[in-house]
Amino acid sequence: MDTSTVICPGSFDPVTLGHIDIIKRASKMFDKVIVAVLVNMSKTPSFTTQERIAFLETTLADIPNVEIVGFSGLLADYAKERGAKAVVKGLRAMSDFEYEFQMALTNKKLNPELDTVFLTSDSQYMYLSSSMVKQIASLGGDISFFVPASIHAQVCERLKNNRN
Ligand code: PNS
């Protein structure tokens, strides 16, 4: 495969083992992976951008070709600014496809140099989502199967305050 820089974008609210699996696989396929914590205008995050970046930094500290950034503008513009040739995203189920396909085509229109590469989610993470993790933790359930061990305690501590 051609050597290059790619971007793994997302809300990462919080990062899950499913995200980590995709980022690690991308880091083996490409020279450099920029993990970009971006604004999704249809979601209200539970964690601040700084918290989400810190969780990613803790979890991915041992992977030298991964850089974590926060950016509040358009992904297509940021990719151009950083010279990234592709966006890498995980696809869980067919239900992801329509939304991801729409974003991929929109990003391509905004930045014709930018392609999107989809990696198939690992079967053990097919059902996993940040919103599910938040719901389980807020209701006192066990999320140790879903989030990296190194951030588990912090995520639980923050989310238990959402319980009422
Ligand atoms: O993890 P998510 O919430 O599914 O990720 C979506 C995200 C953050 C990648 C998307 O909303 C995004 O790219 N936001 C940045 C703003 C932007 O470029 N919007 C147009 C995308 S078509």
Side-chain angles (χ1 to χ4, degrees):
M1 185 167 290
D2 192 12
T3 56
S4 49
T5 295
V6 296
I7 300 192
C8 281
S11 304
F12 303 109
D13 186 48
V15 63
T16 67
L17 288 173
H19 295 129
I20 296 300
D21 175 60
I22 297 293
I23 294 165
K24 284 188 171 170
R25 285 160 57 198
S27 76
K28 291 178 189 152
M29 299 169 76
F30 301 100
D31 268 0
K32 181 172 179 108
V33 177
I34 300 169
V35 178
V37 178
L38 301 177
V39 177
N40 182 338
M41 296 189 89
S42 34
K43 293 182 185 167
T44 306
S46 301
F47 296 91
T48 66
T49 304
Q50 288 70 25
E51 284 175 314
R52 289 180 273 155
I53 289 174
F55 289 152
L56 283 158
E57 283 173 348
T58 302
T59 310
L60 295 165
D62 59 336
I63 308 183
N65 63 333
V66 168
E67 177 187 345
I68 323 284
V69 299
F71 186 70
S72 56
L74 284 172
L75 171 59
D77 291 343
Y78 188 67
K80 190 177 286 178
E81 187 183 313
R82 296 298 307 268
K85 65 179 346 181
V87 171
V88 175
K89 295 218 77 179
L91 261 195
R92 288 166 299 187
M94 279 306 287
S95 52
D96 276 348
F97 184 77
E98 200 170 333
Y99 167 64
E100 295 295 347
F101 198 67
Q102 182 184 26
M103 280 200 290
L105 291 178
T106 306
N107 286 328
K108 182 89 177 157
K109 191 74 184 170
L110 295 172
N111 174 357
E113 304 290 302
L114 188 61
D115 275 302
T116 298
V117 174
F118 292 113
L119 297 185
T120 312
S121 169
D122 188 289
S123 57
Q124 64 178 319
Y125 304 128
M126 288 288 282
Y127 60 93
L128 184 53
S129 71
S130 297
S131 47
M132 199 79 86
V133 164
K134 286 189 283 191
Q135 202 174 128
I136 295 166
S138 300
L139 296 171
D142 182 5
I143 56 165
S144 55
F145 305 111
F146 310 134
V147 298
S150 53
I151 62 165
H152 177 259
Q154 282 170 281
V155 172
C156 288
E157 183 57 27
R158 273 282 275 99
L159 290 174
K160 77 175 189 206
N161 300 325
N162 294 359
R163 231 182 287 167
N164 50 32

